[in-house]
Amino acid sequence: MIAQILLGTAAAFLVVSLAGVYRIVTGPTAPDRVIAINLVGSNVVIVIAAIAAAIGEPGALDIALVYALLNFVLSIAISKFAVERGGFL
Amino acid sequence: MTPREIAVLLLAAGGVFFAVVAAIGLLRFPDVYTRAHSASKSDTLGAVLTLAAVALAFDAGLARVKTVLLVVFMFLTNPTAAHAIARAAADRGIEPWTTEDDE
């Protein structure tokens, strides 16, 4: 029962990510795209964790942790180097 | 249904609700700053609720500790990243949306 709930949650998060994909494709400016990529990345982390719990594979949580770290570093790096001589942090 | 299943269902439903709210904000809001607002706050709350459901679904042990770490990490980093992106957008000279821009 818990496995079905978590798999349904993962499917719902995948569908929600399509809104982020739309914003990545049509976003008028670059920061729009970066924000949408950040949202899709955190949704992917949740999907990995939910599927890991649903199929009883705790090892996949390490992948989710690393993915969350990379997502954060990606956002910070892009917003740092998208600005001319970025010195805003 | 056992109490644990009910708790997992409620937390996951709340998480999906806030993720849908974040997606609607990302689609409907007019400029990058309002979209950052929607994406950072609503999506962080949805992520924390859903990961709490995942932590409840695991048996107690290392897996639950890792999921709680993931919750703390997303709670700290998601708004920070959105703040950095919005600040970069302001530095690039993107004007905020005002009611005069409404057609």
Side-chain angles (χ1 to χ4, degrees):
Chain A
M1 186 65 198
I2 285 181
Q4 272 88 13
I5 293 170
L6 288 173
L7 284 178
T9 307
F13 268 87
L14 278 182
V15 173
V16 164
S17 296
L18 290 179
V21 172
Y22 171 80
R23 187 50 70 193
I24 292 169
V25 172
T26 68
T29 61
D32 278 315
R33 295 194 169 96
V34 182
I35 281 182
I37 287 169
N38 196 15
L39 185 135
V40 171
S42 45
N43 279 2
V44 166
V45 170
I46 295 161
V47 167
I48 292 173
I51 290 178
I55 65 176
E57 189 79 51
L61 281 176
D62 297 331
I63 304 172
L65 268 170
V66 172
Y67 204 98
L69 269 166
L70 282 178
N71 198 22
F72 178 59
V73 171
L74 175 139
S75 300
I76 295 293
I78 289 182
S79 54
K80 174 95 177 154
F81 295 116
V83 181
E84 300 278 326
R85 313 295 302 160
F88 59 92
L89 275 179
Chain B
M1 289 172 82
T2 64
R4 193 165 108 172
E5 284 173 349
I6 293 170
V8 168
L9 182 60
L10 285 179
L11 284 171
V16 169
F17 170 75
F18 279 107
V20 169
V21 168
I24 291 172
L26 202 65
L27 288 179
R28 297 277 303 156
F29 275 158
D31 74 343
V32 62
Y33 304 106
T34 47
R35 281 175 204 142
H37 155 86
S38 146
S40 63
K41 281 195 281 213
S42 307
D43 199 55
T44 304
L45 191 51
V48 167
L49 286 176
T50 313
L51 288 173
V54 171
L56 214 56
F58 275 120
D59 295 325
L62 191 59
R64 190 173 275 179
V65 173
K66 277 179 192 166
T67 318
V68 171
L69 266 178
L70 205 53
V71 169
V72 172
F73 188 74
M74 294 204 80
F75 208 74
L76 287 178
T77 59
N78 240 344
T80 313
H83 175 80
I85 296 163
R87 199 155 172 180
D91 270 18
R92 288 177 53 159
I94 296 173
E95 291 292 323
W97 176 86
T98 56
T99 45
E100 283 111 54
D101 301 339
D102 211 357
E103 64 256 62

